[in-house]
Amino acid sequence: MWTTCTLWDYLCKMSELQDIRDLSYTELEDVLLHMSHPKYRARQVYEWIWKKDVTDFDQMGNVPKVIREELKKRYQIPHVEVEKVQTSSDGTVKFGLRLYDGQMIEAVLIPVERDDRYTVCVSSQVGCSLSCKFCATGTMGRIRNLKAQEILDQYRIVDRHCEDVYGRGLTNVVYMGMGEPLLNYGPVVRSLRLLTDPGVQGISPRRITVSTAGVAKMIMRLADEGLKINLALSLHAADDAKRSEIMAINDSNGLDELRDALYYFYRELRTKISFEYIALRDFNDSDEDAERLAIYARGLPVMVNIIEYNTVDLFHWKGSEEDRLDKFAKILTNEDVLVTIRRSRGKDIDAACGQLALDGHGAG
Ligand code: SF4
C-alpha cells in the first residue's frame, strides 16, 4: 500500500517522464543513437510499444537491460485502461476508458456477425467544442484532444475483446465517437498512419471512415494526406438555415463550401463518401427535406445513411416514425440516391449515435 509520501514521489516522477509514444520512429532512432546504441534497436523498441502493448520496459525481452534502464529514466508507456464494459441486448459493447490523466472516453464495438463485420467506433477528443443540438457529447464542451496513441489504444482494446468473443479481430474503424476528428487534426492523422502502417496495425485504409461535422478546409487538407480512407459528413439538413439551427459549425462552413470540399476529396482519393442524416421528427424528415437532400447529393458519389434518432433526456427531439423514414428514403431512391436506413444499435446502454458521454461526465 502507498504511503502519502511515496505516492506523491511516484506521481512527481511519473509527471517528469515523457510518454515514449510521443516520439516518431525517427526521433526514437535519434534517442538511441544519442545514447550510443545501434539504430536497429529503435525497430525493436518501436514494435514493443506499438504492436505488443507493453506497459513496462522490462517486458521488452530482446532489448538489452542497459537500454531498458536508460529509457526508464526518461520515458514511460502510459496506456488507456478499461474502466467499464457494457453489453447491449443487440451485441453492441460500450467501453468506458480511462486515460492516464483520469479523463474518461468511450469506444463502441458494433458486431454484425452475419456480414462478418466488426466495427469499432473510436473517440478523438474528450468532449467536443461543437455543441450540436442533438448530441450529448457536445454538452460537455471540449476538455482535451486525444493523442494518437490514445486512439490506437481504443482500437487495440476493442480488437482484443473482439478476438476473445468472436475469435477474430476488428474489420472496420470509424472515427465517430466523442469529438470532432478534424479539430484534432495532427494526432488523428498520426493515428490513421499508425493504423494503416503494415509495420503497426496494417489495416486497409478502405476499412477506415473519418466522420466530420464539416470543416471544409480540413476535409481538403485530409485529402492531400493521400490516405485512401473514407469520409462521412454529418449532414442532418440540406438547407443552410435549418442546418445552422442544429449545428453551429454550419455558420462558418456552409453547404456550398462543404460540397466543394467533398468534390475535392473525391477527386483526389476516389474513396467512399457518405452523408449521415439523423432523422428528427417534424424538423428534417419532410418530403421537402428529402427533395432538398436529393438535390444536394446530385453529382456527388455519396451514400446517404439515415440514422434513427435516440432519445436523449437533455433534448426535446423525437425520432421520426418508421413509415416517415421509409417515405423519406423512397424519395431519395426515386432520385437515384443510394440510401440506407440505419436502425440504432446499443440504445439500452447509451452507446448509440448522439448518446456517448451520458455516463460519468455529468452530461445526462
Ligand atoms: S455530433 Fe460530433 S461534432 Fe457535433 S457535438 Fe457531437 S461529437 Fe461534436
Side-chain angles (χ1 to χ4, degrees):
M1 195 172 146
W2 294 102
T3 63
T4 313
C5 182
T6 54
L7 175 60
W8 177 250
D9 290 346
Y10 174 78
L11 290 173
C12 287
K13 186 164 184 291
M14 293 305 276
S15 66
E16 285 161 15
L17 299 174
Q18 195 192 338
D19 182 342
I20 193 163
R21 292 191 295 173
D22 285 344
L23 300 178
S24 67
Y25 182 70
T26 323
E27 286 167 340
L28 187 58
E29 274 186 338
D30 289 346
V31 165
L32 287 158
L33 280 176
H34 188 74
M35 291 173 173
S36 311
H37 300 296
K39 244 180 166 185
Y40 76 88
R41 294 289 183 197
R43 174 53 58 195
Q44 293 172 329
V45 174
Y46 196 76
E47 284 191 2
W48 284 108
I49 57 179
W50 286 112
K51 287 184 80 173
K52 299 178 187 165
D53 302 324
V54 295
T55 52
D56 186 332
F57 290 98
D58 287 331
Q59 293 171 299
M60 299 180 176
N62 59 355
V63 177
K65 190 157 191 281
V66 59
I67 298 182
R68 285 186 265 135
E69 292 303 323
E70 282 179 72
L71 289 174
K72 264 192 244 178
K73 284 182 198 148
R74 291 172 59 179
Y75 301 102
Q76 55 179 324
I77 326 171
H79 272 68
V80 172
E81 283 170 17
V82 180
E83 177 92 1
K84 191 171 174 188
V85 179
Q86 287 172 278
T87 303
S88 158
S89 52
D90 65 19
T92 303
V93 187
K94 182 169 78 168
F95 297 79
L97 304 171
R98 184 172 295 283
L99 309 179
Y100 71 93
D101 58 356
Q103 296 289 348
M104 294 291 295
I105 52 163
E106 286 165 351
V108 180
L109 166 64
I110 306 146
V112 185
E113 279 186 88
R114 64 168 190 280
D115 298 341
D116 198 28
R117 191 179 171 93
Y118 300 86
T119 304
V120 60
C121 174
V122 295
S123 294
S124 56
Q125 296 179 310
V126 185
C128 181
S129 59
L130 294 186
S131 311
C132 300
K133 293 276 179 1
F134 48 83
C135 171
T137 309
T139 62
M140 298 169 64
R142 189 194 72 97
I143 295 169
R144 77 165 169 88
N145 287 335
L146 294 190
K147 294 178 171 194
Q149 53 267 45
E150 292 170 326
I151 298 172
L152 257 283
D153 281 359
Q154 294 175 61
Y155 173 84
R156 295 286 302 151
I157 286 167
V158 180
D159 189 51
R160 279 198 301 269
H161 179 96
C162 199
E163 284 274 3
D164 290 347
V165 175
Y166 297 102
R168 61 150 306 143
L170 292 165
T171 57
N172 295 73
V173 184
V174 294
Y175 285 65
M176 234 177 246
M178 297 164 73
E180 164 53 55
L182 299 188
L183 294 182
N184 180 21
Y185 189 80
V188 163
V189 168
R190 185 175 185 221
S191 71
L192 290 168
R193 295 203 184 285
L194 288 159
L195 283 172
T196 53
D197 180 346
V200 183
Q201 295 304 324
I203 304 169
S204 162
R206 303 215 174 238
R207 292 187 169 274
I208 301 177
T209 301
V210 170
S211 174
T212 177
V215 192
K217 73 171 188 260
M218 302 313 273
I219 290 174
M220 292 164 80
R221 189 165 160 201
L222 185 62
D224 291 337
E225 301 286 346
L227 287 156
K228 294 226 168 239
I229 53 164
N230 307 308
L231 187 74
L233 172 69
S234 296
L235 186 64
H236 312 316
D239 166 286
D240 273 316
K242 215 175 247 202
R243 193 164 188 267
S244 287
E245 225 179 287
I246 51 171
M247 301 179 77
I249 192 165
N250 194 71
D251 294 345
S252 49
N253 290 264
L255 289 168
D256 287 347
E257 207 184 332
L258 283 176
R259 189 168 32 204
D260 291 347
L262 295 178
Y263 272 122
Y264 183 83
F265 191 91
Y266 185 72
R267 244 194 348 262
E268 293 302 304
L269 300 179
R270 304 269 155 194
T271 55
K272 283 188 208 150
I273 295 179
S274 51
F275 288 161
E276 306 294 308
Y277 196 99
I278 293 182
L280 302 168
R281 193 186 302 178
D282 301 329
F283 177 74
N284 65 356
D285 64 349
S286 68
D287 290 358
E288 296 73 49
D289 290 313
E291 279 149 19
R292 236 176 265 132
L293 176 53
I295 293 169
Y296 189 67
R298 204 170 281 160
L300 270 171
V302 292
M303 158 76 90
V304 176
N305 293 318
I306 301 170
I307 305 162
E308 201 183 25
Y309 177 69
N310 307 292
T311 309
V312 174
D313 286 344
L314 294 165
F315 308 117
H316 65 278
W317 305 110
K318 287 200 168 44
S320 303
E321 308 278 3
E322 219 157 283
D323 53 348
R324 180 87 299 267
L325 281 187
D326 292 339
K327 176 90 189 295
F328 192 93
K330 195 154 188 286
I331 293 173
L332 292 169
T333 310
N334 289 344
E335 295 286 339
D336 295 327
V337 177
L338 291 173
V339 56
T340 61
I341 299 180
R342 224 164 57 202
R343 308 290 174 195
S344 242
R345 305 268 321 241
K347 279 194 274 196
D348 51 336
I349 55 166
D350 292 336
C353 276
Q355 290 187 318
L356 293 186
L358 287 174
D359 277 355
H361 303 286

